[in-house]
Amino acid sequence: MSARANHGGGGGWLGVYVLAYLVFLYLPVALIPIFSFNDSIQAAFPLKGFTTAWYQQLAGNDALTGAVMTSLTIGLVAASIATLCGTTIAYMDTHCTSRLAGIISGIARLPILIPGVIVGIALLIFVNLIGLGPSRTAIVAGHVLAGLPTTVVVMRGRFASIPKSIPEAAEDLGAREWLVFWRIMLPLSLPAIGSAFMLAFLISFDEFIIAFFLAGTEPTLPLYIWTQLRFPKSLPVVMALGTVILVVSIVIATAAELLRNRGLAGARIKPAAA
């Protein structure tokens, strides 16, 4: 009885702690869509009224359209390269006995521990040394570096969850390693590949610090938003834009998580069915 009472009391405090944590984490984010519909340029309570005028101003903004297209282009290219490299590195790490594969995998995940400012400055020096300079290509290189740890982690988990008896059975039947990867491991990993791609795209699309150092004459969407914050009259439009980005990010992140869970569930079910 006493233990149960203690558990109940602990559970109550834990619930309060979790609630306070969620409020601290998400309340500032929730204020953005609230003020984006407020009929005032001031982000303050009480609200002046409901309006969709700030969303209507998003249409027909050539600078905003250019920034969105730049972010989309960079995000798609960087996510594709990061997913391709992450898949290859993760497969080597989980299915090769070479110590080099493990070292490469560790190095690929290392950028997640390096502050973005350091990565941005280092890449800026590097692209200037090789004559590339700040440009879209430089941002793509930086975003590949930023997204690679996530793709490696996602794909390592997926490859590790596939029972080794499956590729071993294929090899016993005479399949070469490349054929095993192409015809067995890759199809089984498609949901995780899609998840890794979407997460890498989100990282690139929302990334600011590296793009700040490497952007040339074509700003990405986060840089465009940052420049607009200097003008108080642009704040409601920025919040409307932030709400759109928030909704799209939630949809993509949810889809990525569903794909990842679908892949993990498939890996758990298939051996039992066999």
Side-chain angles (χ1 to χ4, degrees):
M1 290 287 289
S2 177
R4 289 181 182 176
N6 289 336
H7 274 295
W13 281 109
L14 180 60
V16 173
Y17 169 76
V18 171
L19 180 62
Y21 176 75
L22 291 177
V23 170
F24 172 77
L25 194 63
Y26 292 109
L27 181 60
V29 178
L31 292 176
I32 294 177
I34 291 175
F35 287 127
S36 70
F37 291 103
N38 185 26
D39 191 11
S40 171
I41 63 171
Q42 300 294 330
F45 291 106
L47 302 177
K48 300 297 183 183
F50 178 84
T51 181
T52 58
W54 314 124
Y55 288 88
Q56 295 172 9
Q57 291 186 23
L58 294 177
N61 188 328
D62 293 337
L64 172 60
T65 303
V68 170
M69 294 307 298
T70 300
S71 282
L72 285 176
T73 304
I74 292 173
L76 291 173
V77 175
S80 300
I81 297 173
T83 304
L84 178 63
C85 295
T87 301
T88 307
I89 293 171
Y91 183 77
M92 288 174 55
D93 189 22
T94 54
H95 287 81
C96 294
T97 56
S98 169
R99 290 186 60 186
L100 180 61
I103 294 173
I104 293 175
S105 178
I107 293 174
R109 285 173 282 161
L110 192 59
I112 202 170
L113 302 175
I114 303 176
V117 174
I118 304 301
V119 175
I121 294 174
L123 286 174
L124 178 61
I125 295 173
F126 178 73
V127 296
N128 283 330
L129 284 176
I130 63 175
L132 182 61
S135 59
R136 278 192 185 191
T137 305
I139 299 177
V140 167
H143 286 184
V144 169
L145 199 64
L148 187 60
T150 299
T151 60
V152 171
V153 169
V154 171
M155 293 311 300
R156 276 184 90 245
R158 181 65 184 111
F159 286 133
S161 68
I162 297 175
K164 291 188 176 180
S165 58
I166 296 178
E168 287 174 353
E171 290 175 354
D172 290 342
L173 293 173
R176 295 179 179 273
E177 188 172 353
W178 167 249
L179 191 62
V180 172
F181 175 77
W182 183 253
R183 298 292 297 273
I184 298 176
M185 302 301 289
L186 202 57
L188 288 175
S189 305
L190 279 180
I193 292 175
S195 175
F197 175 84
M198 284 190 274
L199 291 176
F201 175 79
L202 274 184
I203 291 172
S204 171
F205 195 79
D206 296 334
E207 203 283 330
F208 174 80
I209 299 177
I210 295 175
F212 177 79
F213 286 98
L214 300 178
T217 57
E218 299 172 301
T220 61
L221 186 58
L223 291 178
Y224 171 80
I225 293 174
W226 180 73
T227 58
Q228 294 303 304
L229 290 177
R230 293 178 299 174
F231 310 107
K233 290 184 178 179
S234 300
L235 183 59
V237 180
V238 169
M239 287 190 289
L241 178 59
T243 302
V244 174
I245 295 173
L246 181 64
V247 172
V248 173
S249 298
I250 291 174
V251 170
I252 294 177
T254 303
E257 185 62 16
L258 290 175
L259 273 176
R260 193 181 68 86
N261 288 333
R262 180 183 174 188
L264 291 175
R268 286 193 293 267
I269 290 171
K270 280 170 183 172

